[in-house]
Amino acid sequence: MNLKLCTENLVKLRNVDPMITSYNIEMTEVTGGTFWKPYTPEQVAGTEEYAIADVTNTSAMMQYYGPLNMYDERLRKMAKGIPSVWVRVSGSWATKTYYDFSDSEEVVRPEGYENVLTKKQWIGVLDYVKAMDGKLLISLANCEGNHHKDEPWNPEQTKMLLDFSKEYGVPVLAIEFVNEPNYIDITGYPKGYTVEDYGKDFDFFAKWLRENYPEILIVGPSSATNEQGIHPRLDAPRRFFKAILTRDMLAACQEKPDIFSYHYYNGMSERAAATGGHFPVDEALTEDYLSVAERAVKYYVEMSKDVITNGQLWVTESGDAACGGNTWGSTFLDVIRSANELGIFTKYTEGVIFHNTFCSSDYGWLDHHTLLPRPNYWLNYIWNQLVGTSTYDAEWENCEGAHVYAYSRKDEKDGYVYMIINNSKTEETVVDFDKAVEVYLLSADEIRGKEIKLNGTVLELAENDAFPEMISEGCENGKVVLPPVSVVFVVV
């Protein structure tokens, strides 16, 4: 494919939130607990098939992990490579977690809760967020433990956590009431909980928070993206899990959030393939697969117009596939989807994407055990090096071989930064800029491999975990060649 791009007087579409590349650290990582079992190296490489599991028995897909060391030097160094972030501490584990901020060495879990967060563990989170100069988003428990008979949701635990965090110097700045509240049977609600109960509790929570902590943003509804009308594959899992449509969740509430949030996963992972919501690997570069991000953001942008007037749209969980990621989520192949999500999201709305997760499971930016960067980490690292705070109409209709997005420069100099994706498996794409440009080409020798190359050189940490130098290649004639399955940032 050959295309020529006009780089003069592009029309600005909107701002880009400087914290767009944010991420989750799951509550189960903080307290220690169960999370998705890793795939084998052979499954990741595609040489061993993953056996389809019984999706109703999720415990067989999980294993126990100890608490994450929030003071680990490599963890913090990698986090500083993605500057200016929101850190979201949430997940289904958080819905059933009791906060024990006593100084007792004996931790007691009250009846009605399944997990315990200690003061020491929470201080670790606060110290981490402070060291990153980040902002903190959380979701709250809403289980048998903080419901007393027929009384509404009890804010006592939340008050303790918010007051402690503020006094410690790292206040909570945004709250989602419940993680994925539309999965009404598996979220962790009290037995027999209904959408009407959720509406009453959300209204009680919102009024209480706005009266006592008006500085904290209410983010919601935080729905899982299994909705009729987005994509048939996403709707399929609703046969297995009782899911309330987001519109019905919102209709049950009188109070409205400040920020509209939803979760975007590009289908279900191999672990949950039995739901019918899984895209096989041979579709991972297709226009149909890549269209899911655009379908989702357009769906929720339209819905949010009835809910918020001046607030942003946030994707508070994002990744290649729900249930821990696909076998290829940790490889270069998923860089194509990730780059396209960034481009699509900034095309339609201004807000924040919280990748799930920073360092856990197969969709993590870092390997859980080594904390070494995976290919998607390097994509977001380079984005933060180059991309500025404005997005422009690239004057190009996306198609196989050329997904084109245009931004201002991070260094605030005149000109633009283009991000161009070649999702063709077989054909190169030649882009003519008709002027000298600087090129940052991301590619891989093995698309299901763990390595990613910048202009032909493998990106990896140097001695003492020093970041590699991001060296561009000059292109005097302005003709940039993208090999099959690659992403390029072009500085004009």
Side-chain angles (χ1 to χ4, degrees):
M1 173 180 289
N2 293 273
L3 63 146
K4 184 177 177 64
L5 294 177
C6 176
T7 61
E8 301 297 333
N9 302 317
L10 296 184
V11 175
K12 181 177 176 179
L13 295 175
R14 59 184 45 83
N15 293 326
V16 176
D17 192 302
M19 305 179 91
I20 184 173
T21 54
S22 293
Y23 52 80
N24 285 298
I25 292 178
E26 295 267 327
M27 181 65 83
T28 187
E29 296 179 76
V30 177
T31 64
T34 58
F35 209 51
W36 304 105
K37 286 182 180 178
Y39 297 115
T40 67
E42 293 76 19
Q43 289 165 348
V44 171
T47 59
E48 175 190 330
E49 191 171 341
Y50 183 85
I52 294 178
D54 176 7
V55 75
T56 62
N57 183 19
T58 55
S59 61
M61 307 177 195
M62 314 282 260
Q63 72 178 47
Y64 178 81
Y65 296 87
L68 179 66
N69 178 8
M70 305 299 294
Y71 299 93
D72 185 275
E73 289 185 13
R74 177 176 287 169
L75 175 71
R76 289 193 169 201
K77 188 158 192 175
M78 295 304 99
K80 289 179 179 179
I82 312 290
S84 186
V85 295
W86 282 89
V87 177
R88 178 178 182 261
V89 180
S90 181
S92 57
W93 197 263
T95 309
K96 299 162 283 188
T97 295
Y98 176 77
Y99 314 142
D100 183 354
F101 284 7
S102 69
D103 292 318
S104 171
E105 292 185 6
E106 183 178 352
V107 176
V108 178
R109 176 173 55 85
E111 185 177 352
Y113 293 92
E114 293 186 12
N115 323 302
V116 177
L117 171 73
T118 67
K119 182 195 290 188
K120 182 179 180 181
Q121 289 168 342
W122 190 242
I123 287 174
V125 171
L126 299 181
D127 284 344
Y128 176 90
V129 173
K130 186 176 183 179
M132 298 308 113
D133 194 25
K135 295 182 179 180
L136 182 58
L137 164 68
I138 63 170
S139 71
L140 306 176
N142 186 10
C143 56
E144 296 279 1
N146 52 5
H147 280 268
H148 303 306
K149 296 183 180 179
D150 295 327
E151 296 178 3
W153 172 84
N154 189 321
E156 180 181 346
Q157 279 265 290
T158 299
K159 183 180 187 309
M160 180 182 70
L161 184 141
L162 295 181
D163 290 346
F164 179 85
S165 302
K166 188 173 183 178
E167 291 169 7
Y168 195 80
V170 186
V172 173
L173 296 178
I175 295 178
E176 287 179 303
F177 181 52
V178 181
N179 176 68
E180 297 187 344
N182 58 329
Y183 270 173
I184 205 153
D185 282 353
I186 60 174
T187 291
Y189 290 130
K191 189 177 297 183
Y193 203 74
T194 66
V195 66
E196 290 77 20
D197 294 326
Y198 170 81
K200 291 176 184 177
D201 285 341
F202 179 84
D203 288 343
F204 178 86
F205 152 75
K207 291 174 182 176
W208 172 82
L209 191 74
R210 284 169 172 148
E211 180 179 345
N212 294 280
Y213 303 90
E215 71 281 7
I216 299 179
L217 294 170
I218 297 176
V219 182
S222 182
S223 295
T225 314
N226 294 318
E227 298 273 348
Q228 293 171 330
I230 295 180
H231 192 286
R233 295 276 179 88
L234 294 186
D235 192 45
R238 299 178 72 246
R239 296 176 299 155
F240 289 82
F241 308 114
K242 182 179 177 182
I244 306 299
L245 291 175
T246 302
R247 289 191 185 277
D248 294 336
M249 303 291 298
L250 294 168
C253 306
Q254 294 181 354
E255 297 290 319
K256 304 301 180 187
D258 303 303
I259 304 289
F260 190 100
S261 68
Y262 68 95
H263 292 179
Y264 151 75
Y265 290 105
N266 226 109
M268 307 294 283
S269 71
E270 284 101 325
R271 298 181 183 92
T275 64
H278 175 63
F279 286 85
V281 67
D282 60 3
E283 296 182 27
L285 295 171
T286 63
E287 292 300 302
D288 184 46
Y289 177 79
L290 296 176
S291 75
V292 174
E294 185 166 21
R295 290 171 184 238
V297 73
K298 290 170 72 174
Y299 179 89
Y300 287 112
V301 163
E302 189 61 32
M303 187 184 299
S304 69
K305 292 176 182 177
D306 298 328
V307 181
I308 56 174
T309 53
N310 298 316
Q312 291 185 337
L313 199 72
W314 288 5
V315 183
T316 47
E317 279 190 27
S318 170
D320 66 297
C323 300
N326 284 309
T327 52
W328 66 86
S330 61
T331 73
F332 179 80
L333 178 54
D334 192 51
V335 169
I336 302 299
R337 181 207 59 82
S338 294
N340 189 64
E341 181 193 5
L342 284 166
I344 286 293
F345 190 75
T346 53
K347 180 179 177 180
Y348 285 99
T349 187
E350 174 188 352
V352 179
I353 298 172
F354 292 75
H355 181 77
N356 201 33
T357 63
F358 188 55
C359 57
S360 190
S361 200
D362 292 279
Y363 44 30
W365 280 347
L366 307 180
D367 179 271
H368 176 76
H369 297 290
T370 66
L371 299 178
L372 289 171
R374 289 168 167 167
N376 268 328
Y377 175 90
W378 291 117
L379 169 72
N380 285 272
Y381 179 85
I382 292 173
W383 171 284
N384 279 279
Q385 298 281 314
L386 300 177
V387 175
T389 56
S390 298
T391 182
Y392 296 89
D393 183 356
E395 300 180 344
W396 178 261
E397 191 71 27
N398 285 346
C399 61
E400 182 175 317
H403 289 220
V404 184
Y405 307 99
Y407 305 93
S408 60
R409 294 170 53 148
K410 182 68 174 280
D411 59 15
E412 299 183 347
K413 293 181 180 179
D414 289 340
Y416 305 99
V417 175
Y418 282 81
M419 180 177 71
I420 307 171
I421 303 163
N422 181 3
N423 59 314
S424 171
K425 295 180 181 180
T426 58
E427 302 297 323
E428 70 178 21
T429 295
V430 180
V431 187
D432 185 1
F433 287 93
D434 197 27
K435 63 172 63 178
V437 294
E438 295 294 321
V439 177
Y440 299 80
L441 177 67
L442 298 176
S443 63
D445 293 337
E446 299 289 338
I447 63 171
R448 289 192 69 165
K450 294 295 186 75
E451 290 186 341
I452 181 173
K453 289 185 172 183
L454 173 62
N455 294 328
T457 300
V458 174
L459 286 173
E460 57 188 347
L461 300 177
E463 188 177 354
N464 298 320
D465 288 345
F467 287 105
E469 190 175 356
M470 297 291 133
I471 301 175
S472 65
E473 282 192 354
C475 182
E476 292 299 323
N477 65 5
K479 290 188 184 298
V480 178
V481 179
L482 282 78
V485 194
S486 61
V487 179
V488 69
F489 292 87
V490 181
V491 180
V492 181

